[in-house]
Every structure is written in C-alpha cells, then in structure tokens.
C-alpha cells in the first residue's frame, strides 16, 4: 500500500504534462530471481527448470502473471499513465520455449489489464533476444517495444512487418 500511496503523492506533485511510468518485472524475470535466490547472469537453476520441471515453472509463471496484473493495475489507478514490463532475462529462454515462457505470460498480463479498463500504453522490454525481437513484436500485444543496446535499430526498422512504436537509441 505504501508504494501506491507514494505514486499518488508523486502524481500530485508532478507536472501534469509529465508521464509517470509504473512497472514490474516480467514473469520469467521474476521467476529467475525467485528460483535462483539471487541475481546472476546465467540463472542456471531457472533455465534448468525449463528442461526438467517445465510444468512447475509454468504454474509459477501463472501465479506471477496474476500478481503482475494486480501490481500494475494498482499503479495505474494510483496515477501511473504508462506501464512497463521488464523482461530483463528474456535472452536466456531457448527460442523453442518463447511462446510458453515469454510470450503467453506477457500477453495474458496485457489482456487482463485491458479487460480491467487500463488505457495506459504498455511498454515491454524483452532484453537480450536480439534478432528474435521481430517475432516477439509480431506476437506480443504491447503498445510500445523497448529495445536494448544489443539491437541494431537500423536493422530493426528495415525488418519490421508491422507499425510499432520503438523506444531506444536511434
């Protein structure tokens, strides 16, 4: 509750023409920290779950989707006018597991937020997926894609199949 009260206070003090961005870690990213117990660059314990305990991992991701929706929604009704999902460890997921581990959970968050009446643009950062970002953009229903430093922006613009707002360094 303190977080949401702080958002309300900041919104009151912030110039009305300034955007206040609410955010959460993506389900896969939060699962990585939970399973590993601390930060890491490889999250071996989490990536091993994909191979050996996938059903258990999917149940955890389902719970994290619900918690993410609630957290983002509370930020929105407290005054955030933009929402962002940081899938910071997306690059660790094997391509053949993208749909179940990365795409479906984030799409469920976005769909549930829209069903709750959230009008705020939703930004997603799938860090580290490199050229696989094209497929990600085509399948995730976000309003804005945030692009990490590994993506060549000129290459991305040339290869986009749809209109999408890009956030990154051109």
């Amino acid at each position: 509750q303190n977080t949401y009260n702080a958002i309300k206070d900041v919104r009151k003090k912030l110039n009305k023409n300034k955007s206040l961005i609410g955010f959460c870690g993506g389900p896969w990213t939060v699962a990585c920290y939970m399973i590993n117990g601390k930060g890491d660059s490889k999250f071996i314990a989490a990536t091993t779950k994909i191979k050996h305990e996938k059903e258990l991992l999917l149940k955890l991701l389902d719970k994290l989707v619900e918690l993410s929706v609630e957290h983002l929604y509370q930020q929105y009704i407290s005054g955030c006018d933009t929402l962002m999902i940081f899938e910071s460890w997306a690059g660790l997921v094997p391509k053949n597991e993208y749909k179940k581990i990365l795409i479906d959970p984030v799409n469920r968050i976005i769909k549930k937020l829209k069903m709750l009446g959230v009008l705020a643009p939703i930004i997603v950062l799938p860090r580290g997926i490199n050229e696989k970002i094209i497929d990600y953009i085509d399948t995730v229903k976000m309003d804005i894609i945030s692009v990490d430093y590994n993506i060549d922006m000129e290459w991305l613009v040339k290869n986009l199949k749809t209109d999408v707002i890009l956030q990154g360094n051109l």
Side-chain angles (χ1 to χ4, degrees):
Q1 200 59 14
N2 289 339
T3 298
Y4 311 123
N5 288 333
I7 290 169
K8 289 174 187 173
D9 290 344
V10 169
R11 180 76 268 169
K12 285 179 195 169
K13 294 175 184 170
L14 189 64
N15 189 316
K16 297 294 178 217
N17 67 352
K18 301 290 182 188
S19 186
L20 184 56
I21 301 176
F23 66 94
C24 72
W28 164 249
T29 293
V30 174
C32 283
Y33 287 103
M34 289 175 73
I35 294 165
N36 202 57
K38 62 180 181 174
D40 193 356
S41 61
K42 295 188 176 151
F43 289 98
I44 300 297
T47 55
T48 300
K49 292 268 187 241
I50 295 172
K51 294 176 187 172
H52 301 293
E53 295 183 81
K54 188 172 169 183
E55 291 308 312
L56 184 62
L57 175 62
L58 293 174
K59 286 181 183 179
L60 175 59
L61 293 174
D62 285 345
K63 185 64 176 170
L64 291 170
V65 164
E66 296 305 319
L67 294 169
S68 298
V69 169
E70 179 62 23
H71 185 50
L72 288 168
Y73 182 70
Q74 290 300 322
Q75 291 177 76
Y76 174 72
I77 63 173
S78 297
C80 291
D81 44 21
T82 304
L83 300 174
M84 186 163 184
I85 302 168
F86 286 88
E87 201 60 274
S88 302
W89 297 108
L92 297 178
V93 177
K95 181 152 176 50
N96 64 327
E97 297 292 352
Y98 267 35
K99 182 167 176 11
K100 287 190 175 185
I101 306 295
L102 291 177
I103 292 169
D104 290 349
V106 172
N107 270 337
R108 285 198 312 273
I109 292 170
I110 294 167
K111 181 179 180 181
K112 288 177 184 223
L113 288 170
K114 299 295 182 182
M115 288 173 56
L116 288 168
V118 171
L119 300 174
I122 298 173
I123 304 168
V124 179
L125 170 63
R127 190 173 74 85
I129 65 171
N130 304 323
E131 73 280 350
K132 293 172 255 175
I133 197 163
I134 297 293
D135 292 333
Y136 194 89
I137 290 169
D138 288 342
T139 54
V140 176
K141 306 301 181 201
M142 71 268 171
D143 299 298
I144 302 166
I145 185 78
S146 184
V147 179
D148 70 84
Y149 58 88
N150 291 307
I151 303 287
D152 179 317
M153 292 294 283
E154 287 181 28
W155 171 87
L156 180 58
V157 170
K158 285 179 194 170
N159 288 283
L160 282 175
K161 299 172 196 160
T162 61
D163 291 331
V164 67
I165 298 171
L166 298 171
Q167 177 188 38
N169 298 320
L170 287 173

